[in-house]
Amino acid sequence: MWDAEKRQTAELAPRSSSRRTIYRLFRRSLILSCIALIIFALIRGIHAPSEYIDKFKQTNVGHKTTKSASPLRGNNHKGAPAGRVPLEAHIMSKCPDAEYCLEKLIVPVMAQVHDKVDFRLSFIGSVSNKSSDVSCKHGPAECVGNMLMLCAANLPFPPGSETQNKTPIVRSLGFANCLLASYDKIPERELVEDCALEFGLDFGALNACVSRQVDEDDAKRAGSDDPDKDKVSGLALLRTDFKRSAALGIKKSCTVRVNEKIWCIRDSHEWKDCQPGGDKTSTLVDEINRLYDNSGSS
């Protein structure tokens, strides 16, 4: 009997040990999965501060814009309320300085004073005067990235509507910041789709806008009976933006301008030619508040 019990115990021991090993492996896998999810959430959370998203949700519910004293405007919005302070960032979409500039300065500032500024995200590059060609410092992929961000800011909102309203700035700027967070992957489809989904943009509309090879002169020549005359063209937006930045003498990505004047430049991984303390979020916020208060719009 004892011998039988010993044999049974000997047979059960490996099984028990095996169960413990499996349990430990399962527990470790579960812990690693939880850590991975937390890291993913933290990484995805850097694209726009939560308080900025909350402010958007208060003024836009289910794509139905409610009345608000300070609606969130889209890029290049021509109907911004009088008195708003012009704030502009000139960038190149595959530039590491642009990524740092938006994440560390522009987005945190917008989270605090979005209702006091007329924000514009502009781009730097070259255009041909003899054709519709454009040229970007970091290659054709950068031109596509630039067009994606411009299209995101200038598409009708809500998606698919015939309204004159453009994409709310919290969405277009968030989308741009999302792309720039992985600027080396621009314009890979998976990245664009993920960022579009995260900020509620229509990927199909973005793709159509970037693919439309109509320059700014073609758009002007389009007749009133042209069924596509109101469709947004990424090429036309890009050429217009390049010409504007060149006319302003802007060559460095990222150049931040406040009230039509250069505020600070992020170039070669450092801040240059800044107003005193201009690379600090608090300093820029204070300046915008000062300009806004002096405009008499408060």
Side-chain angles (χ1 to χ4, degrees), residues 8-250:
Q8 186 177 20
T9 302
E11 291 173 358
L12 289 174
R15 295 180 185 176
S16 177
S17 176
S18 177
R19 289 195 190 98
R20 285 197 297 271
T21 301
I22 293 172
Y23 174 75
R24 284 198 299 269
L25 289 174
F26 174 78
R27 186 174 60 182
R28 290 174 183 173
S29 298
L30 184 61
I31 292 172
L32 289 173
S33 297
C34 291
I35 292 173
L37 285 172
I38 292 171
I39 292 173
F40 176 79
L42 289 173
I43 291 174
R44 297 298 282 180
I46 66 172
H47 299 149
S50 59
E51 64 269 23
Y52 192 22
I53 296 293
D54 290 341
K55 288 176 182 177
F56 165 76
K57 290 178 179 177
Q58 292 170 8
T59 55
N60 295 272
V61 181
H63 290 174
K64 293 182 179 179
T65 304
T66 58
K67 291 184 178 180
S68 169
S70 55
L72 296 170
R73 302 286 176 168
N75 191 56
N76 304 338
H77 185 81
K78 296 180 180 179
R84 287 200 177 197
V85 180
L87 173 63
E88 185 169 10
H90 298 258
I91 68 168
M92 302 174 187
S93 64
K94 289 182 76 70
C95 172
D97 290 311
E99 184 266 339
Y100 187 94
C101 179
L102 257 67
E103 181 186 338
K104 300 298 184 181
L105 184 63
I106 297 299
V107 171
V109 166
M110 287 294 290
Q112 298 183 54
V113 293
H114 69 89
D115 55 343
K116 298 179 181 180
V117 301
D118 181 18
F119 179 74
R120 178 172 183 148
L121 187 62
S122 299
F123 296 86
I124 303 166
S126 303
V127 301
S128 170
N129 294 322
K130 298 180 180 179
S131 68
S132 297
D133 292 347
V134 292
S135 177
C136 296
K137 181 177 180 179
H138 301 95
E142 180 170 80
C143 288
V144 176
N146 295 347
M147 286 190 285
L148 281 165
M149 295 178 193
L150 282 168
C151 286
N154 286 276
L155 285 172
F157 187 85
S161 67
E162 296 182 359
T163 177
Q164 295 298 313
N165 294 329
K166 296 179 181 178
T167 307
I169 189 61
V170 70
R171 292 179 184 266
S172 60
L173 180 56
F175 174 75
N177 200 40
C178 180
L179 291 181
L180 282 165
S182 302
Y183 65 87
D184 56 320
K185 295 182 179 179
I186 293 174
E188 291 181 11
R189 183 186 181 99
E190 183 178 1
L191 172 64
V192 178
E193 286 183 329
D194 285 349
C195 291
L197 179 63
E198 181 173 350
F199 289 94
L201 301 179
D202 185 337
F203 175 78
L206 285 171
N207 188 43
C209 175
V210 172
S211 301
R212 192 160 187 251
Q213 296 299 300
V214 176
D215 66 24
E216 69 281 16
D217 293 326
D218 293 331
K220 292 176 183 177
R221 288 192 293 267
S224 58
D225 57 344
D226 186 343
D228 295 331
K229 66 181 180 67
D230 293 326
K231 290 185 177 180
V232 183
S233 166
L235 178 61
L237 291 171
L238 188 62
R239 285 179 57 86
T240 300
D241 235 45
F242 280 179
K243 289 179 179 179
R244 181 174 176 276
S245 291
L248 291 169
I250 306 298

